[in-house]
Amino acid sequence: MKLNVAIVFLFCQEIFCYNYTTKFLDVPLDHFSFTNNATFKLKYLINDSFWIDDGPVFFYTGNEGAIETFADNIGFMYDIAPIFNALIVFAEHRYYGATLPFGNASFTTPSHLGYLTSSQALADYVYLINYLQTTHQRSDYLSKVPVVAFGGSYGGMLAAWLRMKYPASVVGSIAASAPIWQFQGLTPCENFNRIVTNVYKTATDNDCSAPIQKSWKAIRNITASDEGKGWLTKVWKLCAPLKTSNDVEDLLDWFSEILVNIAMVNYPYPTKFLAPLPAFPVRNFCYKLSGVKITDDKSLLTVIGNSLEIYTNFTKTNKCNKINQTAESLGENGWDFQACTEMIMPMCSDDNDMFENQSWDFKKYSAKCYAKWGVKQTNPELPILEYGGKDITAASNIVFSNGLLDPWSSGGVLSNISATVSSVIIPEGAHHLDLRGENKNDPKSVIEARQFHVNSIRKWLVDFYYSRDKNYFKKTTFFNKITYTHGNNV
Amino acid sequence: MKLNVAIVFLFCQEIFCYNYTTKFLDVPLDHFSFTNNATFKLKYLINDSFWIDDGPVFFYTGNEGAIETFADNIGFMYDIAPIFNALIVFAEHRYYGATLPFGNASFTTPSHLGYLTSSQALADYVYLINYLQTTHQRSDYLSKVPVVAFGGSYGGMLAAWLRMKYPASVVGSIAASAPIWQFQGLTPCENFNRIVTNVYKTATDNDCSAPIQKSWKAIRNITASDEGKGWLTKVWKLCAPLKTSNDVEDLLDWFSEILVNIAMVNYPYPTKFLAPLPAFPVRNFCYKLSGVKITDDKSLLTVIGNSLEIYTNFTKTNKCNKINQTAESLGENGWDFQACTEMIMPMCSDDNDMFENQSWDFKKYSAKCYAKWGVKQTNPELPILEYGGKDITAASNIVFSNGLLDPWSSGGVLSNISATVSSVIIPEGAHHLDLRGENKNDPKSVIEARQFHVNSIRKWLVDFYYSRDKNYFKKTTFFNKITYTHGNNV
């Protein structure tokens, strides 16, 4: 097989270096209508260095960000590719990274942006998978090589839905931290913030959710005056001064998003996923909060501002904080549109969590979305109709994994659905820790989860090859080394 | 439950009278993008006279024609509704009958017509099903009543795909004479016409495919001259005189379509589905051909013209034949577009069948489509990507039934796929005979097929109610009378 090498990236994560070639494929803009026949260039990353014989394709269903962000943080696929002889592919989601159907105009109007839906993204992946299968055929022996889907978070939802909707395209899916039930009527809106709170409550001996809970009122008190706004701008090192009450609302959103993000990436070793961070960032955040004397609003916000630097300035290179951005690697415009149309995930807070009280008000949410994007969504249950909601018993060959430290586990599948749709719980895991590369600091539960994934993938592939030819395993040494042993790659 | 009665139709088929109320529901024009938020009125027919307690919805997934055509010919749903306490619904397919998203402008340009795809139609049905479930809720006991899908021909493909893509919306599907494999690379293009030929060959003692096979050359010989064109116009009672060679091509298409149609509706009793017809129309057609002395092209075409009246003028009220129309009840514009975009079903003829030789030429076909509709389809395997082609092992709860007298069985599923995806063969059956109402002339094989359907539906429903409440059957008499006995309704 010959690849036309376009650009070769080399990126090092923690211990390993994962590399890939960047390629593009023309795919239809609209897979479900014939009103136009426009196409656009879908970016994908490919690595064939482990690919031998009729080995499978390991296909990452990209989510809301430039695809390199995910490729550089999904070491698990690289770790297990050698034992399966797999070809590794990471597909970029339309409207993120370099995959912009209308270039710079992609986010201008609904007629440009309206093709940003999960259904269209899934169809892109099916299209790319078919292209890979028909152009990456080693032998004539099999009509097509099998494909295993991997995804984390929204990418995990896509991996699961890909198997549900297109079972002929993927033999099975590893759906890590995929909150497929974080929709209207499926999950109480307060669950998410309660999990975040619990993570902060239990990270250290001193319950650090308590000072956080007090901080909302402190921010409101302080920012009630212009002097206070100026003071907080300085102490929290904001790039732009707080001026209006809207600025204050933005600050509150930014603060709570960072608290959530720290919990999501609360990994047991330093990482650079949403931001450069130390090991156990929640614990580090809380350490900074404890032992400091808090006497009034200003001393509280001073110490919290200091703690926030764990996330905002761990590299000590950040001069000031932009409060309209919490995770540079993610495409916030695209996700904001998706969250306004299909991916409406109700969230709320009450006295049982550490956040400011906020009820879920769909009407208000919808109005805000309309003002921003010009698109009116009247049906927050849309994804339930499209993907079946809680009734997923007809699905097969999916592993849903969830870390209990992960706020998104609130919308996850936390128990087995059937003999072929399984749930794996990782008590010490944050957001899709299991998809990261092996690390000597991995807790036992994530090692076991990865072993479960390998066993599942093995079963799906054995079933596939066997269904094509009952004597396949006599003819090949392919599955000889298929036992995954933790430690080989550390 | 109260229905706002709009219009009540009463239609009598053979022995029974089936009635229904006509209603409309606003559904989104584009289910998979947010470029616009237009809606249109989807027509559906509903009958609640058999509906008791928490009985299921029997939902017909309408195909390429006004929905009444199907409602009036799918007596099976009426026959078995009483034993299941079912609500009967027939949904009209977008761009057919009265369901025209842009009214009279629906067929004008690709930007109007482009939303005519099977994916959009399936999403319409899911939308309507959800509406029916949320508005037709008898008790609070179940969250939603279960839905069983029924469909014949293209409607059968939709019923099967509905279960495959939206298993949370329908508990199972009866897919009658559904040629889901009549696509590029799945079925040899010559199979269809070979089955038609075989039906004519074996309908009577005299092989009547032989004179038909000779007739193509006879038509070409005769119509080579203006005098011959005039002669054939008169003898075949054409409304418009044959003038050009294009007219002759249209005539050949019309003739071969009628031969196919007669085979499709070769039912054992008089029907009015595609046209008013006697029982066993192929046999009747062939009877007229036998015993007549054929000496030359003119005598051959005279007797064939006479035989054609079985289809064109069984009621003796048709003054002349329009060769641009073979089945008034079907929406030929809409289907022509679908056959040019998604539903590209390769057909060809050779010396082993009774039709004029014709190879399958996708390029030529595609060019003709582009000239007509302004839409270019480069990928005839599109529906294989969308619906999985031959790899449907992940599906469940579908019965595929096929009559062996039916040409469309060429693309049908003729053997069991798994424990829950079954194939039923009806050797004496034409096109979805099993979906018609009971008739004293039904062959044994169709009676058995219907019994299989009832048993399958019963199993799907028992599983559904049981999954909602293990004690359901102790609380209700619902399933007491669930054994279907042939003869009750004759």
Side-chain angles (χ1 to χ4, degrees):
Chain A
M1 188 212 53
K2 247 184 135 180
L3 279 179
N4 293 321
V5 175
I7 317 162
V8 175
F9 280 99
L10 200 72
F11 188 95
C12 291
Q13 186 213 27
E14 287 97 53
I15 305 161
F16 301 103
C17 288
Y18 305 136
N19 66 62
Y20 38 73
T21 304
T22 301
K23 303 197 88 180
F24 292 89
L25 178 70
D26 282 327
V27 300
L29 176 65
D30 189 348
H31 294 274
F32 303 102
S33 301
F34 292 97
T35 57
N36 67 70
N37 57 5
T39 60
F40 67 95
K41 290 196 183 304
L42 188 94
K43 181 171 170 176
Y44 62 100
L45 313 177
I46 190 163
N47 176 321
D48 67 350
S49 55
F50 309 109
W51 194 44
I52 304 171
D53 297 340
D54 295 313
V57 179
F58 282 0
F59 189 94
Y60 187 85
T61 53
N63 25 335
E64 72 282 22
I67 190 59
E68 292 82 0
T69 306
F70 303 100
D72 298 337
N73 285 278
I74 311 292
F76 178 59
M77 282 168 67
Y78 285 86
D79 287 349
I80 67 168
I83 54 177
F84 287 105
N85 297 351
L87 178 70
I88 297 174
V89 174
F90 286 85
E92 190 164 74
H93 193 294
R94 51 167 65 199
Y95 291 86
Y96 294 98
T99 302
L100 300 174
F102 296 95
N104 290 338
S106 296
F107 294 92
T108 50
T109 70
S111 67
H112 291 86
L113 191 46
Y115 301 100
L116 171 48
T117 67
S118 60
S119 302
Q120 301 279 6
L122 291 176
D124 289 340
Y125 297 155
V126 169
Y127 197 91
L128 173 56
I129 285 169
N130 183 57
Y131 169 79
L132 292 169
Q133 285 178 319
T134 46
T135 54
H136 290 67
Q137 192 60 38
R138 273 275 164 73
S139 67
D140 291 335
Y141 185 63
L142 298 165
S143 66
K144 284 178 173 183
V145 291
V147 178
V148 178
F150 296 75
S153 192
Y154 169 52
M157 298 163 77
L158 293 172
W161 293 337
L162 188 60
R163 171 65 191 172
M164 292 182 197
K165 292 289 189 186
Y166 299 93
S169 294
V170 292
V171 297
S173 295
I174 303 294
S177 302
I180 62 164
W181 290 343
Q182 193 74 37
F183 294 112
Q184 180 83 44
L186 301 185
T187 296
C189 62
E190 63 270 20
N191 286 14
F192 184 93
N193 285 322
R194 288 193 189 175
I195 297 174
V196 182
T197 303
N198 205 42
V199 169
Y200 282 83
K201 203 186 274 287
T202 57
T204 56
D205 289 341
N206 302 324
D207 171 5
C208 93
S209 72
I212 295 170
Q213 194 170 31
K214 286 182 192 134
S215 65
W216 311 101
K217 194 142 186 281
I219 294 173
R220 293 214 179 268
N221 288 343
I222 293 282
T223 58
S225 72
D226 287 345
E227 181 272 330
K229 286 194 185 82
W231 179 85
L232 194 58
T233 297
K234 204 178 140 199
V235 172
W236 279 21
K237 297 177 186 160
L238 308 185
C239 297
L242 294 172
K243 284 184 178 165
T244 65
S245 60
N246 272 348
D247 293 343
V248 174
E249 294 304 321
D250 287 347
L251 179 79
L252 291 163
D253 287 349
W254 174 80
F255 177 35
S256 73
E257 263 182 54
I258 287 180
L259 291 170
V260 167
N261 284 359
I262 298 174
M264 274 168 61
V265 294
N266 190 24
Y267 299 128
Y269 48 86
T271 59
K272 293 174 188 169
F273 182 35
L274 298 182
L277 282 171
F280 299 112
V282 173
R283 194 187 297 171
N284 272 283
F285 180 95
C286 291
Y287 277 153
K288 285 195 159 197
L289 268 180
S290 66
V292 178
K293 205 174 172 188
I294 295 168
T295 52
D296 59 2
D297 288 345
K298 283 197 175 176
S299 61
L300 171 64
L301 295 184
T302 303
V303 68
I304 284 190
N306 186 32
S307 301
L308 276 175
E309 297 215 341
I310 286 284
Y311 186 88
T312 59
N313 199 16
F314 183 61
T315 56
K316 309 282 181 201
T317 56
N318 184 25
K319 294 211 176 79
C320 63
N321 294 316
K322 292 180 190 150
I323 62 171
N324 55 0
Q325 198 170 55
T326 60
E328 266 189 66
S329 55
L330 301 183
E332 301 198 351
N333 251 336
W335 187 251
D336 194 71
F337 178 81
Q338 290 196 265
C340 271
T341 48
E342 262 190 311
M343 299 296 138
I344 298 174
M345 300 179 169
M347 299 278 179
C348 60
S349 317
D350 59 22
D351 290 345
N352 294 308
D353 61 60
M354 68 184 194
F355 294 92
E356 194 172 29
N357 281 5
Q358 193 156 28
S359 59
W360 167 245
D361 182 342
F362 174 64
K363 224 169 148 180
K364 194 173 146 198
Y365 183 90
S366 185
K368 209 172 153 187
C369 285
Y370 184 68
K372 182 157 186 189
W373 297 111
V375 170
K376 204 164 252 164
Q377 177 53 278
T378 52
N379 182 13
E381 293 183 6
L382 189 74
I384 299 176
L385 285 191
E386 184 58 26
Y387 301 111
K390 291 253 172 169
D391 184 358
I392 56 169
T393 48
S396 60
N397 294 7
I398 304 174
V399 177
F400 289 101
S401 62
N402 282 283
L404 294 188
L405 298 182
D406 178 17
W408 289 109
S409 66
S410 63
V413 177
L414 301 181
S415 59
N416 291 340
I417 299 296
S418 66
T420 60
V421 177
S422 310
S423 169
V424 172
I425 303 292
I426 308 164
E428 299 99 337
H431 205 40
H432 50 74
L433 173 62
D434 45 335
L435 292 190
R436 300 188 65 81
E438 283 190 6
N439 187 290
K440 60 182 164 37
N441 296 310
D442 280 333
K444 189 162 169 259
S445 59
V446 80
I447 297 167
E448 287 168 353
R450 290 186 188 131
Q451 183 62 57
F452 190 90
H453 295 338
V454 167
N455 293 346
S456 301
I457 294 166
R458 183 182 196 284
K459 190 188 173 322
W460 303 334
L461 290 175
V462 167
D463 286 352
F464 174 87
Y465 290 107
Y466 189 80
S467 73
R468 296 303 183 271
D469 179 357
K470 291 197 170 66
N471 293 315
Y472 189 81
F473 299 101
K474 291 180 190 161
K475 294 179 191 164
T476 178
T477 56
F478 178 48
F479 274 90
N480 284 2
K481 45 172 183 164
I482 214 150
T483 315
Y484 168 80
T485 314
H486 177 71
N488 283 350
N489 299 304
V490 178
Chain B
M1 186 213 54
K2 248 184 135 179
L3 279 180
N4 294 322
V5 175
I7 318 160
V8 175
F9 281 98
L10 200 71
F11 188 94
C12 292
Q13 185 213 30
E14 288 97 52
I15 305 162
F16 302 102
C17 289
Y18 305 136
N19 66 62
Y20 38 73
T21 304
T22 301
K23 304 198 88 180
F24 293 89
L25 178 69
D26 282 326
V27 301
L29 177 64
D30 190 348
H31 294 273
F32 303 102
S33 301
F34 293 97
T35 58
N36 67 71
N37 56 4
T39 60
F40 67 95
K41 289 195 183 305
L42 189 93
K43 180 171 170 175
Y44 63 100
L45 313 177
I46 190 162
N47 177 320
D48 66 351
S49 55
F50 310 109
W51 194 44
I52 305 171
D53 298 338
D54 295 314
V57 179
F58 282 0
F59 188 93
Y60 187 85
T61 52
N63 26 337
E64 71 281 22
I67 189 60
E68 292 82 0
T69 306
F70 303 100
D72 298 339
N73 285 279
I74 310 291
F76 177 59
M77 282 167 67
Y78 286 86
D79 288 349
I80 67 168
I83 53 176
F84 286 103
N85 297 350
L87 177 70
I88 297 175
V89 175
F90 286 85
E92 190 163 75
H93 192 294
R94 52 166 65 195
Y95 292 86
Y96 295 97
T99 302
L100 299 176
F102 295 94
N104 290 338
S106 296
F107 294 91
T108 50
T109 69
S111 66
H112 293 86
L113 191 46
Y115 301 99
L116 170 49
T117 67
S118 60
S119 302
Q120 300 279 5
L122 291 177
D124 289 341
Y125 297 155
V126 169
Y127 197 90
L128 173 57
I129 285 169
N130 183 58
Y131 169 80
L132 293 168
Q133 285 178 319
T134 46
T135 55
H136 291 67
Q137 193 59 37
R138 274 276 164 72
S139 67
D140 292 334
Y141 185 65
L142 297 166
S143 65
K144 285 180 172 182
V145 292
V147 178
V148 178
F150 296 75
S153 194
Y154 169 53
M157 297 162 78
L158 293 172
W161 292 337
L162 188 60
R163 172 66 192 170
M164 291 182 199
K165 293 288 190 186
Y166 299 94
S169 293
V170 293
V171 297
S173 295
I174 303 293
S177 301
I180 60 164
W181 290 343
Q182 194 74 39
F183 294 111
Q184 181 83 43
L186 300 185
T187 295
C189 61
E190 63 270 19
N191 286 16
F192 184 93
N193 285 321
R194 287 192 189 175
I195 297 173
V196 182
T197 302
N198 205 42
V199 169
Y200 282 83
K201 204 186 271 289
T202 56
T204 58
D205 289 342
N206 301 324
D207 170 6
C208 94
S209 72
I212 295 170
Q213 193 170 32
K214 287 184 191 132
S215 64
W216 310 101
K217 192 141 188 280
I219 294 173
R220 294 215 179 263
N221 287 343
I222 293 283
T223 58
S225 73
D226 287 346
E227 181 273 329
K229 286 193 185 81
W231 179 84
L232 194 57
T233 298
K234 204 177 142 199
V235 173
W236 279 21
K237 298 177 186 160
L238 308 185
C239 298
L242 295 172
K243 283 184 179 165
T244 65
S245 59
N246 272 347
D247 292 345
V248 174
E249 295 303 321
D250 287 349
L251 179 79
L252 291 164
D253 287 349
W254 174 80
F255 176 36
S256 71
E257 265 184 51
I258 288 180
L259 291 170
V260 168
N261 285 358
I262 298 174
M264 274 168 61
V265 294
N266 190 25
Y267 299 128
Y269 48 87
T271 58
K272 293 173 188 170
F273 182 35
L274 298 182
L277 282 171
F280 299 110
V282 173
R283 194 189 296 171
N284 273 283
F285 180 95
C286 291
Y287 277 153
K288 284 195 159 196
L289 267 181
S290 66
V292 178
K293 205 173 170 188
I294 295 168
T295 53
D296 59 2
D297 288 345
K298 284 197 173 176
S299 61
L300 172 63
L301 296 185
T302 303
V303 68
I304 283 189
N306 185 32
S307 301
L308 278 175
E309 296 216 341
I310 286 284
Y311 186 88
T312 59
N313 198 17
F314 183 62
T315 56
K316 308 284 181 200
T317 56
N318 183 24
K319 294 215 173 79
C320 64
N321 294 316
K322 291 179 190 151
I323 61 170
N324 55 359
Q325 198 169 57
T326 59
E328 266 188 67
S329 55
L330 300 183
E332 301 200 352
N333 251 338
W335 186 252
D336 194 71
F337 179 81
Q338 289 196 266
C340 272
T341 48
E342 261 190 311
M343 298 296 139
I344 299 174
M345 299 179 170
M347 298 279 181
C348 60
S349 316
D350 60 21
D351 290 345
N352 293 309
D353 63 58
M354 69 186 193
F355 294 91
E356 196 173 28
N357 282 5
Q358 195 157 27
S359 58
W360 167 246
D361 183 342
F362 174 65
K363 224 168 148 183
K364 194 174 147 194
Y365 183 90
S366 184
K368 210 171 151 185
C369 284
Y370 184 68
K372 185 158 185 187
W373 297 111
V375 171
K376 203 163 253 166
Q377 177 53 279
T378 51
N379 182 13
E381 293 183 5
L382 189 74
I384 300 176
L385 284 192
E386 185 58 26
Y387 300 112
K390 291 253 171 169
D391 185 358
I392 56 169
T393 48
S396 60
N397 294 7
I398 304 174
V399 178
F400 289 101
S401 62
N402 282 282
L404 294 188
L405 299 181
D406 177 16
W408 290 108
S409 65
S410 63
V413 177
L414 302 181
S415 59
N416 291 341
I417 299 296
S418 67
T420 60
V421 177
S422 310
S423 169
V424 172
I425 302 293
I426 309 164
E428 299 99 336
H431 205 41
H432 50 75
L433 173 61
D434 46 335
L435 291 190
R436 300 187 65 81
E438 281 190 6
N439 187 290
K440 60 180 163 41
N441 296 311
D442 280 332
K444 189 165 167 258
S445 59
V446 80
I447 296 167
E448 289 169 352
R450 289 186 188 129
Q451 183 61 59
F452 190 90
H453 295 338
V454 167
N455 292 346
S456 302
I457 294 166
R458 182 182 197 284
K459 190 189 172 321
W460 302 334
L461 290 174
V462 167
D463 286 351
F464 174 87
Y465 290 107
Y466 189 80
S467 73
R468 297 301 183 273
D469 179 358
K470 291 197 169 66
N471 293 314
Y472 189 82
F473 300 102
K474 290 181 189 160
K475 294 179 190 164
T476 177
T477 57
F478 176 49
F479 274 90
N480 284 1
K481 47 175 182 160
I482 213 152
T483 314
Y484 167 79
T485 314
H486 178 71
N488 284 351
N489 300 303
V490 177

